[in-house]
Amino acid sequence: MLATQTAEYSVRNIVKSFGGAKALAGVSMSVSAEEVHCLAGENGSGKSTLIKIMSGVHAPDSGLITLAGKEFTHLSPRQAVNEGVQVIFQDFSLLPNLTVAENIALPTNILNSSRFIGKKETKKIAEEALGHIGVDIDINSPLLETSIASKQLIAIARATNLGVQMLFMDEPTTALTRKEVKKLFEVVDQLRKRGVAIVFVSHKIDEIQEICNTITVLRNGEVVAEGLMSDFKAKEIATAMTGSEIATSRIAPLLGKNPRTLVELEKLTSKNTFDDVSFSISEGEIIGLTGLLGSGRTELAEAIFGQYPVDAGSIKVDGKEVTLNSPEAALASGIGYVPPDRLTQGLFLEQSILRNIVAVGLDRQRSRWGSISKKKLAKIGSSWISELRIKTKNPSNPVSSLSGGNQQRVVLAKWLSINPKVMILNGPTVGVDVGSKREILEIIRDRAQAGMAFLLVSDDIPELVQICHKVLVIRHGKISKEFIDNQISESAIYKELN
Amino acid sequence: MSELRNRFASSTLLSDRKVTQLMGFTLLVLLIFSYFSSDIFFTPENFTSMAFQIPEVAILSIAVMLSMLTGGIDLSIVATSNLAALLAAYILTKHMSEDGEITNLWILMACLAGILLGLICGGINALLIAVLNITPILATLATLTLFNGIAIGLTNGVSISGLPEQFARIGNGTFFGVPTPFVLMVLIALLVALIINRSSLGLKIFLIGTNRKAAQYSVMGDKRVIAWTYVISGLLSSLAGLIIASRMSAASPDFGNSYILLAIVVVVLGGVNPMGGFGTVTGVVLATIVLQMVASGFNALRFNQFFYLAAQGGVLVLVMIFNVVLENRRRSKSINKSLES
Amino acid sequence: MRNETVLILAIVIFSLVIGSKSPEFFTLANLFDILRSSFVQLLFALGVLIVIISGGIDVSFPIVGIFAGYTAVVIMQKFELDGESLLIPIVLAIVIGTLLGGVNAIAIAGFGIPTLIATLGTAGIFRGLMLTLIGSSFISDIPIALDQFSTADLVKFESAAGTLVRLHVLVIPITIITILISLILSRTLFGRSVYALGGGVEPTRRLGISVKGTQTKIYLLAGALSGLAGILYVSLQRKANPYDLAGSELDIIAAVVLGGASIMGGYGTVFGTVLGVLFINLIKNNLVLLGVSSSWQRAAVGALLVIGITLQAISESRRNKRRRALSEGEVDSNE
């Protein structure tokens, strides 16, 4: 059931496997000009492989690519650009050391194979491009000093200059405020009206519904849903993406009577980031913290971990005021932190699973002579491997050999092994499969039951609804709303967020 | 349980395989040279002379290895070692009598002064790299120039020779038949091996070299650990400098200029990953021995010393090419694996 | 403050200090001497600059230079080429330099070896091969044209004080080459690609710029510049000594870094490099006028470099803080 019969850009039965594993198992998708098409799916569903095939990075094993009537079995990156296919990656692929103008003009220079680049020409190309999409950015400033929203617009401007016919936007709203998203959508709409076919990759259902006309949902390399956006309800899209009804029933662990307060924030303020934040976490309590990226939620979490400067206000641990100006100080106060990016911040990928698990607690394992017993470390490691059911044949395998869900458990084990009083988890279930997600939430519940307190920073509203005693919504650095127990519901939180 | 322990012990499997490869390589070099020039190469004299030359290179290489394990590099080792040796030589010549006699106390003081200076040099590197966050290549290039410049300035570029005989005896003497420097090297190698394998500092060095950011989030005091590696590197460099001074009975601002290249060749050949995170002391010591055998083999075959220089460069480039090719193959394999799972 | 501004200020201050101590500093003769000693270094420095902007580092260039210069002279003599010709040895040296640059390119672009390790290795190979295969003896009777070129002065007169004031003719070609490299870096696609590479390898690749191709061109160009520098060095010294130049990489990298090029890549200008080279030579040549023995030259360069990189590190960390405050301000302003 395709959306339109006059589709101009399509793929048919694309199969792509890497070393025996099928990343795409016969995917077809069709996008026509003047259409914003949503490509949705969880991490690992095949979205990025599909983008890479259409932009010429990968060649498919079989299948057909049709671009404005021309048929291809595979594309080279140059061919893709020549046919008007452009991708805006999540990191924008811009160069921080060049100016805005140079960044916009460079791909045009390359496309025209102009050996010489004049200053005037660069300026002209950049101004024209920004003019196309109707935005005004200082083209002479170094890219390093522009905001994320500006970078997004610069990346779009750059694409329009290359005669873009089909534009992939990979999670473009991730780091934008609501206002910036509005501006972005205006630009996207304008491009659409000018006849560009846009593929909008996202999993934020409200945004998809706002901007997209048609949708394709991928799961495990297959198309599991497609059609007109208006035919889908939010819940149906979510179900299609995850492959299961999301159980949103709340099973928050029971709190003890009069639980002891562990951490108390009072009017915590960091200039221009978060402002006047007060709340407390008690023994066994799970507090959810959510907000858009850029709302200050990560900064707040990292401030409690001593990673981010605080200008005013106080933090009390166990009733005593403490200065948390370094992670060392936070650790000494019994505060642990699982950072949002597992691969770059959480894990030592090439090192063994065991070494990863003992990474935080090393100093505590020192003997009187300052030495470390390998036997003891191996014991600690293996007990956590079985405790958190980390699936591995050999604990001395590099942690990179594990799946995402198991990797995340290693990060959790690393912190749980030192038994902190308060654990801050920032996006603990991002990019893990449904099964692992359930188990990770189960682990959090168990620990909370045993008295550990949690601050759960997350985008994933259903997850917050499932296990939190209290959910705080942060907007522009301020706690805008606090939901307690039975006030907590997905719809209420979504409403507060948007 | 014991199986698990064994697995953990061999968690540096990659490096261990490299050590095995090196053993084979050592044997091969031995065979080649014994075939071509057994009359000169395979003599006790030759092996004794190798045992005197190996330690200084090995100790400097271990110093480079430590910084490289954290993902950095220390280019100032030779400048530091010369500066320390010069200070010790200066004190020795100041306090020796006309006929070259000196009290053991002054020898000790001179060595301690040299070691202290080595620690200070290492401390300056630590300050620039760990505190000011300057790229190790750049920071140690700058201190290399500074330390070497100070050595040249103080001595006018002239070496200090004619050190007291008691001091020279240390570097040229034997201990139960084994050259004293060799014994010192074994002790230092054991100590460093103990540190990097059996202390929390050592494990942290490997982890920081693998992913500095994750180390920061794992609260292991990454700056302190990195600072320590450069301080230890300065210490080891000064020890190597003292051994060289003792063996040559002289100190000079431009001794061992070729040792920077040699130390890096040794370290890379010894299986240390230049990006950090992996490497063993055994590998480094073995690599030093291999290269010293190659050097004295070339010598026995009457090859020009500069041919050895070219060979060092060649070995470095070839080993790197080999590693890169191997790494690419390993990576594509592991990508396939993770996609299958 | 921009790096170039800081350097100009430093040059002015040092000049005033030295000049106040010794009036002979402010003479045309001294200025021309500083220029003369900067020619060869500047050529090397331009090559190093391009490499550093692209995010690499090269420690093989002095060896490439002397290899090319010495070998060119050896070839001239061996094949009894026309000693009257200035062009032949220069072209020979540039060709040899380019070939050696090609070896670096194979190691770095072809195999992806980290640049420091690759060039350390190739420097050992080049030096070892030169001294074993090509020659290890000092040549004092270099081809006549090269020898005469060392005194080819553009301006030459006796000053009122009786000193000989000479400005070498090389000032013209070196200026042209410097401007040319500056234009290449700022006005060509290749130049932009060099900066792009230093800004990030992955985004550069996604832009459709060939990373390997750009790297290859960079090391070939650096090799050619080093070859030219090497033969000019031989000519100005009026002798070909294969042991020369080894170790001079430190001064030149110092000049480029003080000139504001970032060793992490992405930043650096020809103007800054010119100032850096002049500054280093100003200090080295006039240390004696300050009453400091010339044996302290290297220590002075080392101290300058340590101070320079410390200041750069401090201002960088300040800028980072400011940038954070700035981007947060933007978030804030959206309320």
Side-chain angles (χ1 to χ4, degrees):
Chain A
M1 200 203 78
L2 283 168
T4 77
Q5 297 304 313
T6 56
E8 290 193 25
Y9 304 91
S10 65
V11 287
R12 288 273 169 278
N13 296 320
I14 295 285
V15 176
K16 175 72 186 173
S17 37
F18 296 98
K22 271 197 178 141
L24 294 176
V27 167
S28 301
M29 181 177 85
S30 170
V31 190
S32 61
E34 292 190 43
E35 172 179 296
V36 181
H37 186 94
C38 169
L39 179 60
E42 298 201 305
N43 285 352
S45 60
K47 283 180 304 183
S48 49
T49 310
L50 187 59
I51 297 177
K52 282 178 179 160
I53 283 174
M54 293 199 75
S55 58
V57 179
H58 289 323
D61 300 339
S62 64
L64 199 65
I65 306 165
T66 312
L67 301 175
K70 285 192 213 169
E71 294 190 342
F72 301 89
T73 53
H74 65 274
L75 290 163
S76 73
R78 193 64 187 249
Q79 265 177 327
V81 171
N82 287 343
E83 298 304 324
V85 179
Q86 287 284 319
V87 182
I88 297 174
F89 290 96
Q90 251 177 306
D91 61 1
F92 312 129
S93 295
L94 295 169
L95 293 154
N97 57 326
L98 301 185
T99 64
V100 172
E102 287 166 347
N103 264 293
I104 296 176
L106 188 51
T108 311
N109 300 141
I110 295 168
L111 191 72
N112 299 344
S113 330
S114 37
R115 295 197 147 197
F116 300 99
I117 301 172
K119 275 196 177 155
K120 272 187 199 152
E121 188 198 344
T122 303
K123 191 172 166 236
K124 203 179 122 212
I125 294 173
E127 276 171 351
E128 247 177 49
L130 288 172
H132 276 162
I133 60 168
V135 294
D136 185 28
I137 297 170
D138 176 14
I139 59 167
N140 292 319
S141 65
L143 187 89
L144 196 64
E145 298 188 353
T146 56
S147 67
I148 294 177
S150 305
K151 286 188 182 121
Q152 180 79 53
L153 296 172
I154 291 164
I156 296 175
R158 188 170 76 167
T160 62
N161 249 27
L162 298 173
V164 64
Q165 297 298 317
M166 179 187 207
L167 180 64
F168 284 92
M169 302 178 79
D170 194 359
E171 313 241 353
T173 61
T174 311
L176 303 190
T177 63
R178 191 60 212 159
K179 195 176 163 193
E180 289 164 341
V181 170
K182 279 222 175 83
K183 173 76 202 167
L184 177 71
F185 282 1
E186 277 169 27
V187 171
V188 169
D189 204 45
Q190 212 184 326
L191 282 180
R192 182 187 66 78
K193 282 181 190 144
R194 288 226 309 268
V196 179
I198 293 159
V199 179
F200 194 89
V201 180
S202 178
H203 58 245
K204 289 190 183 166
I205 292 167
D206 51 331
E207 286 176 1
I208 298 170
Q209 287 182 315
E210 185 178 340
I211 188 79
C212 299
N213 316 109
T214 51
I215 182 169
T216 299
V217 182
L218 289 183
R219 192 172 72 233
N220 298 328
E222 287 177 57
V223 176
V224 287
E226 58 181 349
L228 286 172
M229 197 71 226
S230 48
D231 294 345
F232 284 92
K233 289 203 182 81
K235 197 143 191 182
E236 290 167 352
I237 300 173
T239 312
M241 274 160 62
T242 56
S244 62
E245 288 282 331
I246 305 169
T248 44
S249 55
R250 288 173 42 73
I251 323 175
L254 283 175
L255 277 178
K257 271 186 188 165
N258 301 322
R260 197 157 54 93
T261 304
L262 290 178
V263 175
E264 226 177 321
L265 309 188
E266 245 178 43
K267 300 184 183 259
L268 207 64
T269 299
S270 181
K271 238 188 231 161
N272 294 332
T273 316
F274 52 82
D275 191 19
D276 211 12
V277 174
S278 305
F279 65 90
S280 64
I281 315 177
S282 311
E283 224 172 5
E285 195 177 19
I286 305 172
I287 293 194
L289 177 66
T290 190
L292 298 169
L293 266 166
S295 59
R297 54 172 209 204
T298 289
E299 289 81 357
L300 177 60
E302 300 211 337
I304 306 174
F305 186 58
Q307 271 283 62
Y308 199 86
V310 171
D311 297 317
S314 68
I315 302 179
K316 279 187 195 158
V317 177
D318 280 334
K320 265 180 283 178
E321 190 165 333
V322 289
T323 319
L324 301 180
N325 53 8
S326 68
E328 279 82 2
L331 181 65
S333 297
I335 298 170
Y337 178 60
V338 171
D341 188 340
R342 183 169 64 232
L343 298 180
T344 66
Q345 301 168 325
L347 292 169
F348 306 93
L349 275 180
E350 297 86 0
Q351 295 284 353
S352 68
I353 297 164
L354 280 174
R355 280 189 174 179
N356 269 280
I357 291 177
V358 299
V360 179
L362 272 177
D363 284 340
R364 302 184 181 201
Q365 306 306 331
R366 270 195 300 214
S367 73
R368 196 155 22 120
W369 303 101
S371 70
I372 291 239
S373 152
K374 289 200 170 182
K375 199 170 157 186
K376 207 166 153 194
L377 293 189
K379 207 169 145 189
I380 296 169
S382 58
S383 75
W384 282 102
I385 287 174
S386 55
E387 173 109 24
L388 299 192
R389 279 175 283 171
I390 297 168
K391 282 183 211 86
T392 177
K393 289 192 197 105
N394 186 343
S396 50
N397 278 348
V399 83
S400 57
S401 65
L402 298 177
S403 69
N406 280 307
Q407 285 181 349
Q408 190 64 34
R409 280 178 234 211
V410 171
V411 183
L412 277 175
K414 179 171 83 174
W415 278 103
L416 293 178
S417 74
I418 61 150
N419 199 23
K421 285 185 230 157
V422 182
M423 275 290 285
I424 306 167
L425 307 175
N426 199 340
T429 61
V430 171
V432 305
D433 57 278
V434 185
S436 277
K437 187 168 167 180
R438 200 181 310 126
E439 285 192 41
I440 287 172
L441 294 184
E442 202 52 51
I443 292 167
I444 297 172
R445 265 192 207 110
D446 284 352
R447 297 285 139 183
Q449 201 82 66
M452 198 178 281
F454 285 89
L455 178 64
L456 180 57
V457 184
S458 181
D459 261 342
D460 190 325
I461 308 302
E463 153 186 315
L464 293 173
V465 171
Q466 276 180 66
I467 65 166
C468 290
H469 296 106
K470 192 194 272 181
V471 175
L472 308 172
V473 177
I474 184 166
R475 284 185 77 154
H476 304 309
K478 287 191 174 161
I479 303 285
S480 68
K481 188 96 184 177
E482 197 177 296
F483 299 92
I484 304 173
D485 281 332
N486 24 16
Q487 300 170 351
I488 303 176
S489 76
E490 273 183 62
S491 51
I493 298 174
Y494 274 125
K495 210 172 139 198
E496 182 57 31
L497 272 176
N498 291 315
Chain B
M1 196 62 240
S2 84
E3 187 199 35
L4 195 67
R5 192 169 76 233
N6 286 339
R7 281 171 176 176
F8 191 53
S10 64
S11 64
T12 47
L13 196 75
L14 190 75
S15 319
D16 283 4
R17 200 178 58 220
K18 289 214 165 118
V19 169
T20 328
Q21 282 168 3
L22 265 175
M23 297 262 201
F25 198 47
T26 316
L27 215 64
L28 188 74
V29 171
L30 262 176
L31 284 174
I32 291 174
F33 285 119
S34 55
Y35 178 78
F36 281 110
S37 68
S38 60
D39 48 331
I40 307 173
F41 184 78
F42 246 104
T43 56
E45 291 79 27
N46 188 36
F47 278 87
T48 316
S49 106
M50 278 200 280
F52 274 109
Q53 285 157 13
I54 287 172
E56 50 209 49
V57 177
I59 296 171
L60 287 173
S61 305
I62 291 173
V64 172
M65 172 182 105
L66 281 174
S67 52
M68 217 182 243
L69 283 178
T70 62
I73 197 163
D74 188 350
L75 297 172
S76 71
I77 43 162
V78 175
T80 303
S81 96
N82 284 332
L83 202 55
L86 281 167
L87 177 65
Y90 176 77
I91 295 175
L92 287 171
T93 48
K94 262 277 142 93
H95 294 277
M96 93 186 160
S97 65
E98 300 263 313
D99 48 351
E101 287 293 311
I102 191 168
T103 60
N104 284 336
L105 182 68
W106 276 115
I107 292 187
L108 187 69
M109 293 299 278
C111 290
L112 285 180
I115 290 172
L116 185 67
L117 189 59
L119 288 171
I120 293 173
C121 291
I124 295 174
N125 282 333
L127 182 76
L128 293 175
I129 295 163
V131 181
L132 289 170
N133 250 334
I134 297 171
T135 326
I137 292 182
L138 183 59
T140 57
L141 207 64
T143 55
L144 146 66
T145 316
L146 181 65
F147 299 159
N148 185 232
I150 291 174
I152 295 173
L154 288 173
T155 59
N156 265 322
V158 186
S159 62
I160 301 178
S161 56
L163 302 184
E165 203 168 302
Q166 284 132 295
F167 178 68
R169 230 176 275 148
I170 306 171
N172 294 296
T174 56
F175 190 81
F176 291 110
V178 185
T180 318
F182 200 82
V183 176
L184 284 173
M185 175 199 80
V186 172
L187 286 177
I188 289 172
L190 282 176
L191 205 69
V192 173
L194 215 60
I195 291 175
I196 64 173
N197 291 315
R198 292 298 161 95
S199 77
S200 66
L201 179 74
L203 276 178
K204 286 175 184 173
I205 286 175
F206 287 112
L207 293 174
I208 288 170
T210 309
N211 184 348
R212 175 94 189 261
K213 191 115 224 161
Q216 281 165 355
Y217 278 103
S218 301
V219 203
M220 53 176 67
D222 54 317
K223 288 192 171 186
R224 212 174 320 132
V225 174
I226 287 177
W228 268 115
T229 60
Y230 287 93
V231 171
I232 297 175
S233 174
L235 169 70
L236 294 178
S237 303
S238 67
L239 289 174
L242 292 175
I243 292 175
I244 297 173
S246 168
R247 196 170 65 79
M248 316 273 273
S249 186
S252 153
D254 41 41
F255 269 170
N257 268 339
S258 58
Y259 279 0
I260 298 182
L261 170 63
L262 187 56
I264 290 172
V265 178
V266 164
V267 166
V268 171
L269 181 65
V272 178
N273 182 345
M275 303 311 199
F278 295 93
T280 60
V281 176
T282 327
V284 170
V285 173
L286 270 179
T288 317
I289 295 174
V290 172
L291 281 170
Q292 189 58 49
M293 287 199 316
V294 172
S296 52
F298 279 3
N299 214 7
L301 292 172
R302 306 201 183 289
F303 281 157
N304 179 322
Q305 54 159 323
F306 295 112
F307 186 73
Y308 178 50
L309 177 66
Q312 284 174 24
V315 167
L316 182 58
V317 173
L318 287 180
V319 170
M320 285 306 297
I321 290 176
F322 184 70
N323 285 350
V324 168
V325 171
L326 217 67
E327 174 68 14
N328 285 346
R329 194 176 297 167
R330 197 186 59 79
R331 190 174 296 158
S332 66
K333 220 193 241 168
S334 86
I335 287 174
N336 289 346
K337 221 183 187 175
S338 71
L339 276 167
E340 278 162 23
S341 67
Chain C
M1 208 164 18
R2 279 177 46 155
N3 216 296
E4 281 91 343
T5 327
V6 177
L7 258 184
I8 291 174
L9 273 178
I11 290 176
V12 169
I13 291 170
F14 269 90
S15 302
L16 289 177
V17 170
I18 299 171
S20 69
K21 282 212 160 192
S22 140
E24 55 193 292
F25 175 78
F26 285 117
T27 57
L28 214 51
N30 192 33
L31 176 68
F32 288 173
D33 274 352
I34 294 174
L35 283 182
R36 185 185 167 101
S37 58
S38 302
F39 292 148
V40 170
Q41 292 197 5
L42 183 57
L43 281 180
F44 278 129
L46 290 173
V48 173
L49 172 70
I50 299 171
V51 170
I52 286 184
I53 292 174
S54 76
I57 189 164
D58 185 354
V59 292
S60 72
F61 61 89
I63 304 298
V64 170
I66 197 65
F67 189 117
Y70 183 73
T71 309
V73 171
V74 170
I75 291 176
M76 293 287 290
Q77 291 184 333
K78 191 124 191 175
F79 297 96
E80 292 173 0
L81 299 176
D82 181 10
E84 303 269 337
S85 163
L86 189 59
L87 197 64
I88 297 177
I90 289 180
V91 170
L92 268 176
I94 292 177
V95 170
I96 295 166
T98 312
L99 287 175
L100 298 183
V103 176
N104 281 336
I106 291 171
I108 291 162
F111 288 100
I113 303 178
T115 53
L116 174 71
I117 291 179
T119 54
L120 258 174
T122 55
I125 297 174
F126 298 157
R127 184 152 201 254
L129 289 183
M130 170 177 64
L131 291 168
T132 35
L133 301 180
I134 293 163
S136 54
S137 56
F138 174 97
I139 301 172
S140 56
D141 53 335
I142 59 169
I144 185 89
L146 279 180
D147 189 84
Q148 282 170 351
F149 186 64
S150 74
T151 52
D153 293 321
L154 187 68
V155 182
K156 184 175 178 183
F157 61 89
E158 203 160 305
S159 72
T163 49
L164 197 62
V165 180
R166 303 184 311 171
L167 177 59
H168 199 271
V169 69
L170 264 179
V171 74
I172 295 170
I174 299 283
T175 309
I176 293 174
I177 291 173
T178 307
I179 293 172
L180 219 62
I181 296 286
S182 174
L183 287 177
I184 288 177
L185 280 175
S186 62
R187 298 291 167 85
T188 67
L189 191 56
F190 167 68
R192 201 55 53 86
S193 309
V194 173
Y195 280 98
L197 205 54
V201 175
E202 200 44 45
T204 306
R205 188 172 292 135
R206 283 189 193 153
L207 279 172
I209 294 171
S210 159
V211 171
K212 289 186 174 187
T214 308
Q215 276 182 330
T216 305
K217 281 185 211 158
I218 289 168
Y219 289 94
L220 288 177
L221 181 57
L225 283 167
S226 302
L228 177 61
I231 193 73
L232 292 180
Y233 175 83
V234 166
S235 164
L236 291 178
Q237 296 286 315
R238 307 175 73 175
K239 63 179 193 222
N241 182 355
Y243 295 95
D244 272 359
L245 287 178
S248 65
E249 64 270 19
L250 296 176
D251 285 356
I252 288 155
I253 294 173
V256 175
V257 169
L258 287 176
S262 160
I263 208 104
M264 306 300 285
Y267 298 93
T269 62
V270 168
F271 183 50
T273 297
V274 172
L275 289 175
V277 169
L278 288 177
F279 185 47
I280 294 265
N281 275 310
L282 176 85
I283 301 292
K284 280 176 67 177
N285 284 12
N286 295 292
L287 223 48
V288 187
L289 296 185
L290 277 176
V292 182
S293 149
S294 64
S295 61
W296 285 96
Q297 277 183 359
R298 171 155 288 185
V301 173
L304 280 178
L305 191 54
V306 171
I307 295 169
I309 58 178
T310 304
L311 291 179
Q312 283 172 6
I314 292 171
S315 83
E316 173 66 24
S317 85
R318 278 214 195 120
R319 212 176 311 143
N320 277 343
K321 268 185 202 149
R322 197 174 58 87
R323 199 172 298 134
R324 213 190 59 206
L326 189 98
S327 66
E328 280 151 11
E330 277 172 349
V331 171
D332 201 44
S333 69
N334 279 305
E335 276 189 67

